[in-house]
Amino acid sequence: MRIRSQGLVGAVCALAAVGALGAIPGVVDPNNDPGGRAIEGVIAALLIAALIRVPQTGLSLDPWKITVRDVLTTYRLERTEVLGLAVERVAHGRFQRLIVVTVDGRTIPASWTIAGAANAEWVTHAAYLAQGFGVTQAGVAEALKAHGRFAADGPLPLATRDPGLTPQTVSPVGEGAPRRWLGWETGFIVAAMALPGIAAAVTILAQHIGGVGDLNEFDLPLHHHPGVSLILLIFEYLTTALIVPIALLQLARSGQPPSSLGLERKGLGRDATSAIGLLAASWVLTAAVAGLTSLAGNGKLSNTASDSHVPAYFLIYAVLLSATTAINEEVIVNGYFLTRLSQLGWSRWAAFGLSFAVRESYHVYYGITFLATMPLGYLVTRSFQKRGRLGRAIFTHFAFDVVSLSIAVLTS
């Protein structure tokens, strides 16, 4: 027997089918450049794969095994491994879905068994199915409570959302270990983020001064295949974000979960609104500094950008690059670094100075015009120090970069 949300499955399949039909003509269009055909081919393949996979999703209850199948993952459990089923409220209680509770206390959400929170008939049906587990279902509530991550009551236990990564849910750290290794950890994580950028910046600046290269916003790996180049550029740049979850995990282990940095759903609207003011101030100050640095001319002291011609669909690259850069810099140089420096006893202005110096160090490839990057760095750093809301800095940085890069794409 399979349980799933028929309406959700049907809607996703319909959208995937329409999207695939829209993408396929571009694949066979002889007037489309090879890169464009490659991108549309990938999109069509993904949509067709979704069209095939989505109807298979759901929770399957067989006599000897339980199967939880999502679009990308499949869990197959023997009946002896399963304790029973529970209902989980999601989306701030507006919806509910089934989860499978295993004997060892794991909870596996069946994401495609979703229904409205007020759908009492669905809950009754789920409770009837849960009876198939026999005496094991009675132990689900106790198992959920015993692991301290869920609250449960009623004939079909109601489970709250997993609280996620906190110092209480990770392995304990030995006494004295966090303080002893805190300085080394901080240095390694910041170096892993900043040193590749610094090395690349120094190389670009040296090439410019030596007259063998210049700054190019869109250095295509395959000049005659912009579509393929777009995929390669995105893949290459996204790898720079690998350090972010490592830093957040280290903070969580020492008592600072992402919510302590303001990285939580609550308050994001206010963060976005506040970012508008920071963005306006950044543009005004950047324009003023850029005007002053332009007096130096465009010689060896100033490395100005000369863009390759790229198609308009490189706006995708502008958005993804801007988002990745904003998250990387603000989480590591702002949130992580300032938090760790404060824990190590640095004063507010000393921590600001070192964080700001690291931030500016990998912008030296601009030459003297790197001074124009200082207003944004100053404003977002001080904003985080005063408010403790990293979302404001990320929104501001993203908007600043995406506007600049989008203009570069459209005018290239």
Side-chain angles (χ1 to χ4, degrees):
M1 179 180 295
R2 180 181 298 169
I3 316 168
R4 65 185 181 192
S5 174
Q6 300 294 342
L8 179 61
V9 170
V12 174
C13 287
L15 291 173
V18 172
L21 289 174
I24 289 175
V27 180
V28 298
D29 184 4
N31 296 321
N32 197 1
D33 69 89
R37 289 201 298 271
I39 291 176
E40 296 196 10
V42 171
I43 294 173
L46 290 175
L47 290 171
I48 292 172
L51 190 61
I52 296 173
R53 178 71 176 183
V54 167
Q56 302 175 15
T57 58
L59 174 63
S60 297
L61 305 176
D62 298 318
W64 304 108
K65 66 178 180 179
I66 308 296
T67 304
V68 182
R69 184 177 285 108
D70 289 328
V71 175
L72 298 178
T73 60
T74 299
Y75 293 92
R76 292 184 176 86
L77 304 169
E78 298 295 329
R79 277 277 183 160
T80 53
E81 300 179 75
V82 177
L83 196 62
L85 303 181
V87 172
E88 181 182 25
R89 296 285 172 84
V90 294
H92 297 287
R94 291 191 291 268
F95 297 94
Q96 54 191 342
R97 67 183 178 188
L98 286 177
I99 60 173
V100 177
V101 183
T102 65
V103 173
D104 59 5
R106 289 181 298 139
T107 56
I108 303 172
S111 302
W112 290 78
T113 61
I114 195 166
N119 192 337
E121 182 180 350
W122 183 90
V123 175
T124 303
H125 179 60
Y128 172 76
L129 295 171
Q131 294 177 3
F133 291 95
V135 295
T136 58
Q137 180 66 25
V140 173
E142 287 70 20
L144 293 175
K145 292 177 181 177
H147 284 78
R149 293 165 54 183
F150 294 87
D153 53 45
L156 187 67
L158 175 65
T160 60
R161 287 297 300 271
D162 187 337
L165 184 66
T166 67
Q168 289 74 36
T169 60
V170 298
S171 301
V173 182
E175 186 67 27
R179 182 70 184 180
R180 178 183 178 186
W181 298 107
L182 204 59
W184 287 104
E185 174 208 293
T186 305
F188 284 133
I189 286 184
V190 173
M193 182 268 179
L195 281 182
I198 295 173
V202 170
T203 300
I204 293 172
L205 185 61
Q207 290 176 328
H208 168 71
I209 294 175
V212 297
D214 211 340
L215 180 60
N216 189 338
E217 293 284 0
F218 309 107
D219 189 10
L220 305 184
L222 300 174
H223 293 283
H224 301 295
H225 299 286
V228 177
S229 294
L230 172 62
I231 296 174
L232 294 175
L233 287 172
I234 291 174
F235 175 73
E236 179 182 10
Y237 199 74
L238 286 179
T239 59
T240 63
L242 294 175
I243 194 65
V244 171
I246 297 175
L248 291 176
L249 176 61
Q250 292 302 103
L251 284 176
R253 286 180 63 88
S254 59
Q256 294 77 39
S259 59
S260 70
L261 308 178
L263 293 177
E264 54 184 349
R265 187 177 302 175
K266 182 180 179 181
L268 282 182
R270 292 193 301 273
D271 290 342
T273 303
S274 302
I276 297 174
L278 287 173
L279 182 63
S282 298
W283 275 334
V284 171
L285 294 175
T286 299
V289 175
L292 293 175
T293 56
S294 66
L295 299 176
N298 291 327
K300 291 185 176 181
L301 293 179
S302 178
N303 189 7
T304 56
S306 58
D307 302 326
S308 300
H309 173 69
V310 293
Y313 58 73
F314 262 67
L315 288 173
I316 300 172
Y317 178 67
V319 172
L320 291 177
L321 185 143
S322 299
T324 303
T325 300
I327 293 172
N328 287 0
E329 290 193 24
E330 302 314 325
V331 170
I332 302 297
V333 182
N334 222 347
Y336 174 83
F337 201 23
L338 288 177
T339 300
R340 282 294 190 245
L341 290 177
S342 297
Q343 291 175 318
L344 291 170
W346 288 56
S347 68
R348 173 171 290 193
W349 281 107
F352 168 84
L354 184 56
S355 172
F356 188 72
V358 171
R359 179 189 293 269
E360 292 305 315
S361 64
Y362 46 79
H363 290 99
V364 296
Y365 58 87
Y366 284 113
I368 195 173
T369 54
F370 93 98
L371 296 175
T373 66
M374 289 186 171
L376 174 66
Y378 174 83
L379 290 172
V380 295
T381 303
R382 291 295 293 149
S383 172
F384 176 70
Q385 281 191 317
K386 292 179 180 179
R387 306 295 181 186
R389 299 287 303 181
L390 203 54
R392 298 183 180 193
I394 292 175
F395 284 138
T396 303
H397 196 152
F398 168 73
F400 188 95
D401 283 0
V402 79
V403 170
S404 303
L405 276 175
S406 296
I407 293 174
V409 170
L410 298 176
T411 59
S412 67

